[in-house]
Amino acid sequence: MVVVGIVLAAGASSRMGRPKALLPLGGEVFVTRVCATLQEAGLDDLVVVAGAECAAIGDAIATAGLRARVIENPRREEGQLSSVLAGLAVADRPGVDAVLVHLVDAPLVRVATVRAVMNAFSRTHAPVVRPLVGGRHGHPVLFARRVFDELRRADPSIGAKSVVRAHAADACDVPVDDEWACRDIDTPGDYARLSDPGPA
């Protein structure tokens, strides 16, 4: 199965007050931790969708010795779906079976969680695969090729959630023991309380 990772890092970070993708996390920054996690989980092809900090994000990834294509989303003000579609435009090619979409503000998702999502897709070929933590859906979210066009047609005001809802009956939820899959770091308070558990 060929799965391409799409890391969403183009948000304005208005509540945080500074770019979340470049926030320090141990000896890393958020975006490099996410990319390293996805690569360790087996994703060899990554697309990072960035905003105004595109060059700085690219530098951070290169300095960390990671492999990823960094692109800028010029339409990021239109919302998160615009970044998903910008990433999909780069990721989609013949032979790609799915994309795995991950938020840069959920940097501590465990490698095992990403692998569980990918393994579930390999088994089920479900249109949408999400981790499930105590009844709550988390990140990352995998979208199979058969829903790519639905993502492209989705209402920007609703975003990818409309595709997830449309396939609720045949989606695959993967129970995982990973609280970080449901934890977004959005505010200075979230960041101050962040306790890095170390490599998963």
Side-chain angles (χ1 to χ4, degrees):
M1 306 296 288
V2 178
V3 180
V4 179
I6 298 176
V7 180
L8 304 184
S13 302
S14 55
R15 284 185 286 170
M16 184 64 71
R18 52 182 170 150
K20 286 184 282 188
L22 299 172
L23 287 173
L25 183 63
E28 305 170 281
V29 294
F30 278 26
V31 70
T32 57
R33 170 60 75 92
V34 170
C35 289
T37 296
L38 297 182
Q39 287 188 356
E40 189 175 342
L43 286 155
D44 296 322
D45 189 357
L46 300 180
V47 178
V48 178
V49 184
E53 299 78 28
C54 187
I57 288 173
D59 288 345
I61 290 171
T63 299
L66 298 165
R67 302 178 309 277
R69 290 175 284 173
V70 182
I71 64 167
E72 183 174 359
N73 175 14
R75 304 175 65 177
R76 54 190 176 273
E77 290 82 6
E78 297 177 16
Q80 192 176 90
L81 180 63
S82 71
S83 288
V84 173
L85 296 182
L88 184 61
V90 175
D92 188 11
R93 64 178 189 275
V96 170
D97 297 294
V99 292
L100 182 133
V101 178
H102 193 79
L103 304 180
V104 80
D105 50 7
L108 295 180
V109 172
R110 298 174 60 194
V111 172
T113 296
V114 181
R115 286 179 177 157
V117 169
M118 293 173 62
N119 289 340
F121 175 65
S122 182
R123 291 193 312 269
T124 67
H125 302 279
V128 178
V129 183
R130 294 184 289 175
L132 189 67
V133 184
R136 295 173 295 158
H137 289 106
H139 308 292
V141 180
L142 183 146
F143 295 97
R145 166 171 288 283
R146 60 176 155 136
V147 301
F148 285 4
D149 284 342
E150 293 178 49
L151 287 169
R152 295 182 178 110
R153 294 192 301 266
D155 182 340
S157 66
I158 301 174
K161 290 180 181 178
S162 63
V163 178
V164 173
R165 291 170 185 158
H167 291 277
D170 52 351
C172 177
D173 292 335
V174 185
V176 297
D177 182 18
D178 182 5
E179 188 66 26
W180 293 108
C182 296
R183 293 267 303 271
D184 295 349
I185 311 303
D186 290 324
T187 67
D190 294 339
Y191 183 50
R193 291 188 294 271
L194 188 60
S195 176
D196 184 356

